Short mmCIF file of all heavy atoms in Angstrom, two decimals:
data_model
loop_
_atom_site.label_atom_id
_atom_site.label_comp_id
_atom_site.label_asym_id
_atom_site.label_seq_id
_atom_site.Cartn_x
_atom_site.Cartn_y
_atom_site.Cartn_z
N ASP A 184 96.20 103.97 122.57
CA ASP A 184 95.78 103.40 123.91
C ASP A 184 96.16 101.98 124.00
O ASP A 184 95.37 101.09 124.48
CB ASP A 184 94.37 103.63 124.24
CG ASP A 184 94.10 103.51 125.74
OD1 ASP A 184 95.05 103.42 126.57
OD2 ASP A 184 92.87 103.31 126.07
N ARG A 185 97.31 101.49 123.61
CA ARG A 185 97.84 100.20 123.79
C ARG A 185 99.35 100.25 123.86
O ARG A 185 100.04 101.16 123.45
CB ARG A 185 97.36 99.24 122.70
CG ARG A 185 97.80 99.75 121.26
CD ARG A 185 96.84 99.06 120.17
NE ARG A 185 95.52 99.53 120.31
CZ ARG A 185 94.47 98.85 119.82
NH1 ARG A 185 94.64 97.77 119.01
NH2 ARG A 185 93.23 99.29 120.02
N GLN A 186 99.88 99.14 124.25
CA GLN A 186 101.35 99.03 124.35
C GLN A 186 102.00 98.75 123.02
O GLN A 186 101.32 98.16 122.12
CB GLN A 186 101.79 98.02 125.41
CG GLN A 186 101.47 98.36 126.79
CD GLN A 186 101.78 97.36 127.77
OE1 GLN A 186 102.77 96.54 127.57
NE2 GLN A 186 101.11 97.31 128.91
N LEU A 187 103.24 99.05 122.78
CA LEU A 187 103.83 98.98 121.55
C LEU A 187 103.93 97.62 120.96
O LEU A 187 103.80 97.43 119.69
CB LEU A 187 105.39 99.45 121.73
CG LEU A 187 106.42 99.37 120.50
CD1 LEU A 187 105.79 100.31 119.38
CD2 LEU A 187 107.76 99.84 120.93
N THR A 188 103.95 96.53 121.89
CA THR A 188 103.98 95.20 121.30
C THR A 188 102.74 94.80 120.60
O THR A 188 102.87 93.98 119.71
CB THR A 188 104.19 94.20 122.50
OG1 THR A 188 103.28 94.58 123.53
CG2 THR A 188 105.56 94.30 123.03
N ALA A 189 101.57 95.44 120.80
CA ALA A 189 100.42 95.12 120.08
C ALA A 189 100.53 95.53 118.61
O ALA A 189 100.25 94.64 117.67
CB ALA A 189 99.15 95.74 120.77
N PRO A 190 100.70 96.79 118.30
CA PRO A 190 100.79 97.09 116.91
C PRO A 190 102.09 96.47 116.18
O PRO A 190 101.94 96.30 114.90
CB PRO A 190 100.98 98.64 116.84
CG PRO A 190 101.35 99.02 118.28
CD PRO A 190 100.76 97.97 119.14
N LEU A 191 103.07 96.28 116.91
CA LEU A 191 104.21 95.51 116.33
C LEU A 191 103.82 94.16 115.78
O LEU A 191 104.24 93.66 114.69
CB LEU A 191 105.40 95.37 117.32
CG LEU A 191 106.33 96.46 117.43
CD1 LEU A 191 107.32 96.33 118.57
CD2 LEU A 191 107.16 96.76 116.17
N GLN A 192 103.08 93.47 116.61
CA GLN A 192 102.59 92.07 116.21
C GLN A 192 101.46 92.20 115.05
O GLN A 192 101.57 91.36 114.20
CB GLN A 192 101.86 91.43 117.44
CG GLN A 192 101.24 90.02 117.03
CD GLN A 192 102.30 89.13 116.66
OE1 GLN A 192 103.48 89.15 117.02
NE2 GLN A 192 101.82 88.14 115.76
N ARG A 193 100.66 93.26 115.13
CA ARG A 193 99.81 93.51 113.98
C ARG A 193 100.40 93.67 112.70
O ARG A 193 100.11 93.26 111.60
CB ARG A 193 98.74 94.50 114.33
CG ARG A 193 97.88 94.31 115.51
CD ARG A 193 96.95 93.12 115.23
NE ARG A 193 95.91 93.64 114.34
CZ ARG A 193 95.41 92.93 113.28
NH1 ARG A 193 95.98 91.79 112.84
NH2 ARG A 193 94.49 93.38 112.48
N MET A 194 101.52 94.64 112.70
CA MET A 194 102.28 94.85 111.52
C MET A 194 103.00 93.64 111.00
O MET A 194 103.10 93.41 109.75
CB MET A 194 103.25 96.04 111.68
CG MET A 194 103.85 96.65 110.45
SD MET A 194 102.54 97.38 109.41
CE MET A 194 102.18 98.76 110.38
N TRP A 195 103.45 92.77 111.87
CA TRP A 195 104.03 91.56 111.55
C TRP A 195 103.04 90.68 110.79
O TRP A 195 103.33 90.13 109.66
CB TRP A 195 104.54 90.84 112.83
CG TRP A 195 105.12 89.52 112.69
CD1 TRP A 195 104.48 88.32 112.34
CD2 TRP A 195 106.53 89.15 112.62
NE1 TRP A 195 105.44 87.23 112.29
CE2 TRP A 195 106.65 87.70 112.45
CE3 TRP A 195 107.68 89.93 112.91
CZ2 TRP A 195 107.91 87.09 112.55
CZ3 TRP A 195 108.91 89.20 112.93
CH2 TRP A 195 108.95 87.81 112.74
N GLU A 196 101.86 90.59 111.28
CA GLU A 196 100.81 89.77 110.71
C GLU A 196 100.45 90.29 109.35
O GLU A 196 100.30 89.54 108.40
CB GLU A 196 99.56 89.74 111.66
CG GLU A 196 99.85 88.94 112.90
CD GLU A 196 98.71 89.20 113.90
OE1 GLU A 196 97.76 89.92 113.59
OE2 GLU A 196 98.71 88.65 114.98
N LEU A 197 100.38 91.65 109.24
CA LEU A 197 99.94 92.20 107.94
C LEU A 197 101.11 92.04 106.91
O LEU A 197 100.74 91.63 105.78
CB LEU A 197 99.70 93.71 108.13
CG LEU A 197 99.46 94.55 106.89
CD1 LEU A 197 98.14 94.02 106.21
CD2 LEU A 197 99.31 96.10 107.16
N ALA A 198 102.38 92.27 107.33
CA ALA A 198 103.49 91.96 106.46
C ALA A 198 103.45 90.52 105.94
O ALA A 198 103.71 90.25 104.69
CB ALA A 198 104.85 92.39 107.05
N GLU A 199 103.17 89.62 106.86
CA GLU A 199 103.20 88.24 106.41
C GLU A 199 102.20 87.89 105.45
O GLU A 199 102.32 87.13 104.48
CB GLU A 199 103.03 87.32 107.76
CG GLU A 199 103.14 85.83 107.53
CD GLU A 199 103.02 85.09 108.70
OE1 GLU A 199 102.38 85.47 109.70
OE2 GLU A 199 103.71 84.02 108.81
N SER A 200 101.03 88.46 105.65
CA SER A 200 99.92 88.26 104.71
C SER A 200 100.14 88.82 103.26
O SER A 200 99.69 88.47 102.28
CB SER A 200 98.54 88.81 105.25
OG SER A 200 98.55 90.26 105.10
N LEU A 201 100.98 89.83 103.30
CA LEU A 201 101.41 90.56 102.03
C LEU A 201 102.53 89.95 101.45
O LEU A 201 103.05 90.48 100.32
CB LEU A 201 101.62 92.01 102.30
CG LEU A 201 100.31 92.92 102.74
CD1 LEU A 201 100.72 94.28 103.14
CD2 LEU A 201 99.37 92.95 101.51
N GLY A 202 103.14 88.90 101.89
CA GLY A 202 104.25 88.18 101.33
C GLY A 202 105.53 88.43 101.96
O GLY A 202 106.61 87.95 101.38
N GLY A 203 105.61 89.06 103.08
CA GLY A 203 106.85 89.27 103.76
C GLY A 203 107.41 87.89 104.22
O GLY A 203 106.68 87.03 104.67
N ASP A 204 108.74 87.83 104.23
CA ASP A 204 109.45 86.63 104.72
C ASP A 204 109.74 86.74 106.22
O ASP A 204 110.81 87.21 106.55
CB ASP A 204 110.76 86.33 103.87
CG ASP A 204 111.35 84.99 104.24
OD1 ASP A 204 110.84 84.29 105.14
OD2 ASP A 204 112.48 84.72 103.63
N MET A 205 108.75 86.22 107.00
CA MET A 205 108.93 86.44 108.40
C MET A 205 109.85 85.45 109.06
O MET A 205 110.18 85.47 110.20
CB MET A 205 107.52 86.44 109.06
CG MET A 205 106.41 87.23 108.36
SD MET A 205 107.01 88.84 107.85
CE MET A 205 106.89 89.76 109.34
N LYS A 206 110.33 84.54 108.19
CA LYS A 206 111.30 83.53 108.81
C LYS A 206 112.73 83.88 108.37
O LYS A 206 113.67 83.14 108.78
CB LYS A 206 110.94 82.07 108.20
CG LYS A 206 109.73 81.57 108.70
CD LYS A 206 109.45 80.17 108.09
CE LYS A 206 108.11 79.61 108.66
NZ LYS A 206 107.79 78.20 108.14
N ALA A 207 112.78 85.01 107.68
CA ALA A 207 114.13 85.42 107.32
C ALA A 207 114.90 85.86 108.51
O ALA A 207 114.31 86.40 109.51
CB ALA A 207 114.12 86.68 106.30
N ALA A 208 116.24 85.76 108.49
CA ALA A 208 117.09 86.07 109.71
C ALA A 208 116.91 87.50 110.13
O ALA A 208 116.91 87.85 111.29
CB ALA A 208 118.55 85.80 109.38
N LYS A 209 116.75 88.41 109.14
CA LYS A 209 116.55 89.89 109.52
C LYS A 209 115.38 90.10 110.38
O LYS A 209 115.39 90.84 111.38
CB LYS A 209 116.39 90.67 108.24
CG LYS A 209 116.26 92.14 108.53
CD LYS A 209 116.12 92.98 107.21
CE LYS A 209 115.88 94.50 107.44
NZ LYS A 209 115.76 95.28 106.33
N ALA A 210 114.28 89.38 110.07
CA ALA A 210 113.01 89.54 110.88
C ALA A 210 113.15 88.83 112.20
O ALA A 210 112.86 89.48 113.22
CB ALA A 210 111.80 89.07 110.05
N THR A 211 113.55 87.63 112.20
CA THR A 211 113.54 86.89 113.41
C THR A 211 114.57 87.45 114.43
O THR A 211 114.39 87.48 115.67
CB THR A 211 113.87 85.33 113.24
OG1 THR A 211 115.03 85.23 112.56
CG2 THR A 211 112.65 84.83 112.29
N ASP A 212 115.75 87.91 113.93
CA ASP A 212 116.86 88.35 114.76
C ASP A 212 116.45 89.76 115.33
O ASP A 212 116.73 90.01 116.55
CB ASP A 212 118.12 88.58 113.93
CG ASP A 212 118.79 87.28 113.63
OD1 ASP A 212 118.39 86.29 114.06
OD2 ASP A 212 119.75 87.28 112.74
N ALA A 213 115.69 90.51 114.64
CA ALA A 213 115.17 91.76 115.04
C ALA A 213 114.20 91.65 116.20
O ALA A 213 114.15 92.35 117.28
CB ALA A 213 114.55 92.61 113.98
N LYS A 214 113.31 90.63 116.02
CA LYS A 214 112.33 90.34 117.11
C LYS A 214 112.99 89.85 118.41
O LYS A 214 112.66 90.32 119.52
CB LYS A 214 111.41 89.29 116.64
CG LYS A 214 110.18 89.07 117.51
CD LYS A 214 109.15 88.22 116.85
CE LYS A 214 107.86 88.09 117.70
NZ LYS A 214 106.84 87.22 117.01
N LYS A 215 114.09 89.13 118.21
CA LYS A 215 114.77 88.59 119.38
C LYS A 215 115.51 89.70 120.06
O LYS A 215 115.53 89.88 121.34
CB LYS A 215 115.86 87.53 118.97
CG LYS A 215 116.66 86.98 120.13
CD LYS A 215 117.61 85.93 119.70
CE LYS A 215 118.43 85.28 120.89
NZ LYS A 215 119.43 84.35 120.39
N ARG A 216 116.14 90.67 119.29
CA ARG A 216 116.87 91.86 119.87
C ARG A 216 115.90 92.80 120.56
O ARG A 216 116.24 93.39 121.60
CB ARG A 216 117.53 92.54 118.72
CG ARG A 216 118.79 91.88 118.17
CD ARG A 216 119.65 92.64 117.24
NE ARG A 216 118.97 93.00 115.99
CZ ARG A 216 118.52 94.09 115.65
NH1 ARG A 216 118.64 95.20 116.42
NH2 ARG A 216 117.92 94.20 114.42
N PHE A 217 114.61 92.87 120.04
CA PHE A 217 113.68 93.68 120.65
C PHE A 217 113.28 93.08 122.00
O PHE A 217 113.21 93.83 123.04
CB PHE A 217 112.43 93.78 119.85
CG PHE A 217 111.29 94.56 120.41
CD1 PHE A 217 111.26 95.92 120.40
CD2 PHE A 217 110.29 93.92 121.16
CE1 PHE A 217 110.26 96.73 121.01
CE2 PHE A 217 109.21 94.69 121.80
CZ PHE A 217 109.26 96.01 121.64
N GLU A 218 113.09 91.91 122.14
CA GLU A 218 112.84 91.16 123.39
C GLU A 218 113.97 91.33 124.43
O GLU A 218 113.70 91.66 125.55
CB GLU A 218 112.50 89.72 123.24
CG GLU A 218 111.17 89.49 122.34
CD GLU A 218 111.14 88.01 121.78
OE1 GLU A 218 112.03 87.27 121.99
OE2 GLU A 218 110.05 87.65 121.32
N GLU A 219 115.18 91.30 123.91
CA GLU A 219 116.39 91.36 124.83
C GLU A 219 116.48 92.85 125.23
O GLU A 219 116.80 93.06 126.46
CB GLU A 219 117.64 91.01 124.08
CG GLU A 219 117.69 89.46 123.74
CD GLU A 219 118.86 89.14 122.85
OE1 GLU A 219 119.43 90.07 122.22
OE2 GLU A 219 119.27 88.00 122.73
N ALA A 220 116.21 93.80 124.37
CA ALA A 220 116.33 95.31 124.69
C ALA A 220 115.20 95.54 125.74
O ALA A 220 115.51 96.35 126.65
CB ALA A 220 116.08 96.08 123.50
N SER A 221 114.08 94.91 125.54
CA SER A 221 112.80 95.13 126.54
C SER A 221 113.23 94.71 127.88
O SER A 221 113.00 95.38 128.97
CB SER A 221 111.66 94.48 125.98
OG SER A 221 111.22 95.06 124.82
N GLU A 222 113.93 93.58 128.00
CA GLU A 222 114.35 92.92 129.29
C GLU A 222 115.42 93.85 129.91
O GLU A 222 115.48 94.14 131.10
CB GLU A 222 114.85 91.57 129.02
CG GLU A 222 115.20 90.85 130.45
CD GLU A 222 114.05 90.82 131.41
OE1 GLU A 222 112.99 90.84 131.04
OE2 GLU A 222 114.32 90.79 132.62
N ARG A 223 116.29 94.36 129.06
CA ARG A 223 117.25 95.30 129.62
C ARG A 223 116.66 96.58 130.19
O ARG A 223 117.11 96.97 131.23
CB ARG A 223 118.30 95.76 128.41
CG ARG A 223 119.35 96.65 128.85
CD ARG A 223 120.09 97.12 127.64
NE ARG A 223 121.20 98.19 128.00
CZ ARG A 223 122.03 98.82 127.06
NH1 ARG A 223 121.96 98.35 125.82
NH2 ARG A 223 122.78 99.66 127.39
N LEU A 224 115.64 97.14 129.52
CA LEU A 224 115.07 98.28 130.02
C LEU A 224 114.31 97.90 131.30
O LEU A 224 114.38 98.77 132.26
CB LEU A 224 113.97 98.83 128.99
CG LEU A 224 113.20 100.08 129.32
CD1 LEU A 224 114.13 101.17 129.83
CD2 LEU A 224 112.37 100.53 128.13
N ARG A 225 113.69 96.81 131.32
CA ARG A 225 112.98 96.40 132.55
C ARG A 225 114.02 96.35 133.76
O ARG A 225 113.71 96.91 134.96
CB ARG A 225 112.29 95.07 132.46
CG ARG A 225 111.38 94.60 133.60
CD ARG A 225 111.12 93.16 133.50
NE ARG A 225 110.43 92.81 132.24
CZ ARG A 225 109.07 92.91 131.93
NH1 ARG A 225 108.41 93.39 132.97
NH2 ARG A 225 108.65 92.61 130.93
N LYS A 226 115.09 95.84 133.51
CA LYS A 226 116.10 95.65 134.59
C LYS A 226 116.60 97.07 135.01
O LYS A 226 116.84 97.38 136.10
CB LYS A 226 117.22 94.80 134.17
CG LYS A 226 116.82 93.22 134.09
CD LYS A 226 117.99 92.44 133.60
CE LYS A 226 117.68 90.99 133.54
NZ LYS A 226 118.76 90.15 133.04
N ALA A 227 116.80 97.94 133.94
CA ALA A 227 117.37 99.30 134.29
C ALA A 227 116.37 100.07 135.05
O ALA A 227 116.77 100.80 136.04
CB ALA A 227 117.64 99.96 133.01
N ALA A 228 115.15 99.99 134.69
CA ALA A 228 114.07 100.71 135.45
C ALA A 228 114.00 100.29 136.86
O ALA A 228 113.83 101.10 137.82
CB ALA A 228 112.75 100.53 134.74
N LYS A 229 114.05 98.99 137.05
CA LYS A 229 114.04 98.40 138.42
C LYS A 229 115.10 98.80 139.27
O LYS A 229 115.06 99.04 140.48
CB LYS A 229 113.95 96.91 138.37
CG LYS A 229 113.69 96.14 139.63
CD LYS A 229 113.55 94.61 139.49
CE LYS A 229 113.38 94.01 140.84
NZ LYS A 229 113.13 92.49 140.72
N ALA A 230 116.41 98.88 138.64
CA ALA A 230 117.60 99.19 139.30
C ALA A 230 117.68 100.72 139.65
O ALA A 230 118.39 101.09 140.51
CB ALA A 230 118.79 98.80 138.51
N HIS A 231 117.01 101.51 138.91
CA HIS A 231 117.02 102.96 139.06
C HIS A 231 115.66 103.64 139.17
O HIS A 231 115.27 104.35 138.29
CB HIS A 231 117.85 103.55 137.86
CG HIS A 231 119.19 103.02 137.75
ND1 HIS A 231 120.25 103.41 138.43
CD2 HIS A 231 119.64 101.99 136.92
CE1 HIS A 231 121.39 102.74 138.14
NE2 HIS A 231 121.05 101.91 137.07
N PRO A 232 114.86 103.22 140.07
CA PRO A 232 113.46 103.71 140.15
C PRO A 232 113.31 105.10 140.57
O PRO A 232 112.24 105.69 140.31
CB PRO A 232 112.89 102.87 141.34
CG PRO A 232 114.11 102.57 142.25
CD PRO A 232 115.20 102.35 141.25
N ASP A 233 114.29 105.78 140.87
CA ASP A 233 114.43 107.27 141.29
C ASP A 233 114.63 108.05 140.02
O ASP A 233 114.45 109.35 140.03
CB ASP A 233 115.39 107.51 142.35
CG ASP A 233 116.79 107.18 141.94
OD1 ASP A 233 117.03 106.19 141.15
OD2 ASP A 233 117.70 107.80 142.36
N ILE A 234 115.07 107.46 139.01
CA ILE A 234 115.26 108.33 137.71
C ILE A 234 113.98 108.58 137.02
O ILE A 234 113.31 107.86 136.55
CB ILE A 234 116.18 107.55 136.74
CG1 ILE A 234 117.62 107.25 137.37
CG2 ILE A 234 116.34 108.31 135.42
CD1 ILE A 234 118.32 108.67 137.68
N LYS A 235 113.79 110.00 136.99
CA LYS A 235 112.39 110.48 136.41
C LYS A 235 112.70 110.92 134.92
O LYS A 235 113.62 111.62 134.62
CB LYS A 235 112.07 111.73 137.20
CG LYS A 235 110.60 112.13 137.03
CD LYS A 235 109.67 111.17 137.84
CE LYS A 235 108.27 111.70 137.88
NZ LYS A 235 107.40 110.82 138.61
N VAL A 236 111.81 110.33 134.02
CA VAL A 236 111.86 110.64 132.62
C VAL A 236 110.74 111.44 132.16
O VAL A 236 109.55 111.18 132.53
CB VAL A 236 111.93 109.26 131.84
CG1 VAL A 236 111.92 109.56 130.38
CG2 VAL A 236 113.04 108.29 132.39
N MET A 237 111.05 112.41 131.39
CA MET A 237 110.00 113.28 130.76
C MET A 237 110.05 113.18 129.33
O MET A 237 111.01 113.31 128.68
CB MET A 237 110.20 114.83 131.26
CG MET A 237 109.14 115.76 130.72
SD MET A 237 109.21 117.39 131.44
CE MET A 237 110.83 117.98 130.91
N ALA A 238 108.78 113.08 128.74
CA ALA A 238 108.67 113.06 127.23
C ALA A 238 108.25 114.44 126.77
O ALA A 238 107.13 114.91 127.12
CB ALA A 238 107.58 111.97 126.91
N GLY A 239 109.10 115.07 125.96
CA GLY A 239 108.71 116.40 125.58
C GLY A 239 108.76 116.63 123.97
O GLY A 239 109.19 115.77 123.31
N SER A 240 108.28 117.72 123.58
CA SER A 240 108.30 118.14 122.17
C SER A 240 108.37 119.69 122.09
O SER A 240 107.79 120.27 123.06
CB SER A 240 107.06 117.62 121.55
OG SER A 240 107.14 117.83 120.07
N ALA A 241 108.96 120.21 121.17
CA ALA A 241 109.21 121.60 121.15
C ALA A 241 108.66 122.32 119.91
O ALA A 241 108.90 121.79 118.74
CB ALA A 241 110.81 121.99 121.29
N SER A 242 108.08 123.52 120.00
CA SER A 242 107.73 124.39 118.97
C SER A 242 108.39 125.72 119.37
O SER A 242 108.81 126.05 120.43
CB SER A 242 106.18 124.51 118.79
OG SER A 242 105.68 125.22 119.90
N GLN A 243 108.14 126.76 118.46
CA GLN A 243 108.59 128.09 118.76
C GLN A 243 108.00 128.69 119.97
O GLN A 243 108.65 129.32 120.72
CB GLN A 243 108.45 128.98 117.46
CG GLN A 243 109.32 128.59 116.33
CD GLN A 243 110.80 129.13 116.47
OE1 GLN A 243 111.08 129.62 117.43
NE2 GLN A 243 111.57 128.62 115.55
N GLU A 244 106.64 128.35 120.02
CA GLU A 244 105.92 129.13 121.06
C GLU A 244 105.79 128.27 122.35
O GLU A 244 105.75 128.90 123.45
CB GLU A 244 104.43 129.40 120.63
CG GLU A 244 104.42 130.16 119.36
CD GLU A 244 104.57 129.31 118.02
OE1 GLU A 244 104.57 128.14 118.19
OE2 GLU A 244 104.82 130.00 117.03
N LEU A 245 105.80 126.94 122.29
CA LEU A 245 105.41 126.13 123.46
C LEU A 245 106.35 124.83 123.60
O LEU A 245 106.85 124.45 122.56
CB LEU A 245 103.95 125.71 123.38
CG LEU A 245 102.88 126.87 123.39
CD1 LEU A 245 101.54 126.20 123.10
CD2 LEU A 245 102.90 127.47 124.84
N PHE A 246 106.31 124.42 124.74
CA PHE A 246 107.03 123.10 125.04
C PHE A 246 105.84 122.17 125.60
O PHE A 246 104.93 122.55 126.36
CB PHE A 246 108.02 123.23 126.24
CG PHE A 246 108.69 121.99 126.54
CD1 PHE A 246 109.80 121.57 125.71
CD2 PHE A 246 108.31 121.24 127.56
CE1 PHE A 246 110.47 120.34 126.04
CE2 PHE A 246 109.05 120.04 127.91
CZ PHE A 246 110.06 119.59 127.19
N TYR A 247 105.83 120.93 125.08
CA TYR A 247 104.76 120.07 125.39
C TYR A 247 105.27 118.82 126.18
O TYR A 247 106.25 118.27 125.81
CB TYR A 247 104.15 119.51 124.00
CG TYR A 247 103.67 120.56 123.08
CD1 TYR A 247 104.68 121.09 122.13
CD2 TYR A 247 102.54 121.24 123.26
CE1 TYR A 247 104.28 122.08 121.24
CE2 TYR A 247 102.19 122.34 122.37
CZ TYR A 247 102.96 122.71 121.38
OH TYR A 247 102.57 123.78 120.50
N VAL A 248 104.56 118.57 127.20
CA VAL A 248 104.94 117.41 128.08
C VAL A 248 103.90 116.30 127.86
O VAL A 248 102.68 116.50 128.24
CB VAL A 248 105.06 117.84 129.52
CG1 VAL A 248 105.39 116.59 130.36
CG2 VAL A 248 106.06 118.91 129.75
N SER A 249 104.30 115.18 127.28
CA SER A 249 103.36 114.19 127.06
C SER A 249 103.18 113.22 128.16
O SER A 249 104.01 112.95 128.98
CB SER A 249 103.87 113.27 125.91
OG SER A 249 103.83 113.99 124.72
N GLY A 250 101.82 112.87 128.56
CA GLY A 250 101.54 111.86 129.49
C GLY A 250 101.71 110.52 128.82
O GLY A 250 101.88 110.36 127.63
#
Side-chain angles (χ1 to χ4, degrees):
D184 196 18
R185 60 199 60 198
Q186 294 180 26
L187 180 58
T188 45
L191 274 173
Q192 178 60 30
R193 295 293 286 132
M194 192 62 69
W195 177 285
E196 294 168 358
L197 178 59
E199 184 175 33
S200 78
L201 293 170
D204 184 358
M205 315 316 285
K206 294 182 179 180
K209 179 181 178 181
T211 57
D212 288 352
K214 193 171 185 178
K215 181 179 179 182
R216 287 188 292 111
F217 177 82
E218 293 167 351
E219 292 172 345
S221 297
E222 184 58 28
R223 177 183 175 184
L224 179 56
R225 187 193 304 276
K226 291 180 178 178
K229 184 176 182 180
H231 305 279
D233 59 328
I234 296 299
K235 199 78 171 179
V236 180
M237 180 168 66
S240 185
S242 73
Q243 292 287 352
E244 301 83 12
L245 298 168
F246 182 81
Y247 309 95
V248 180
S249 292

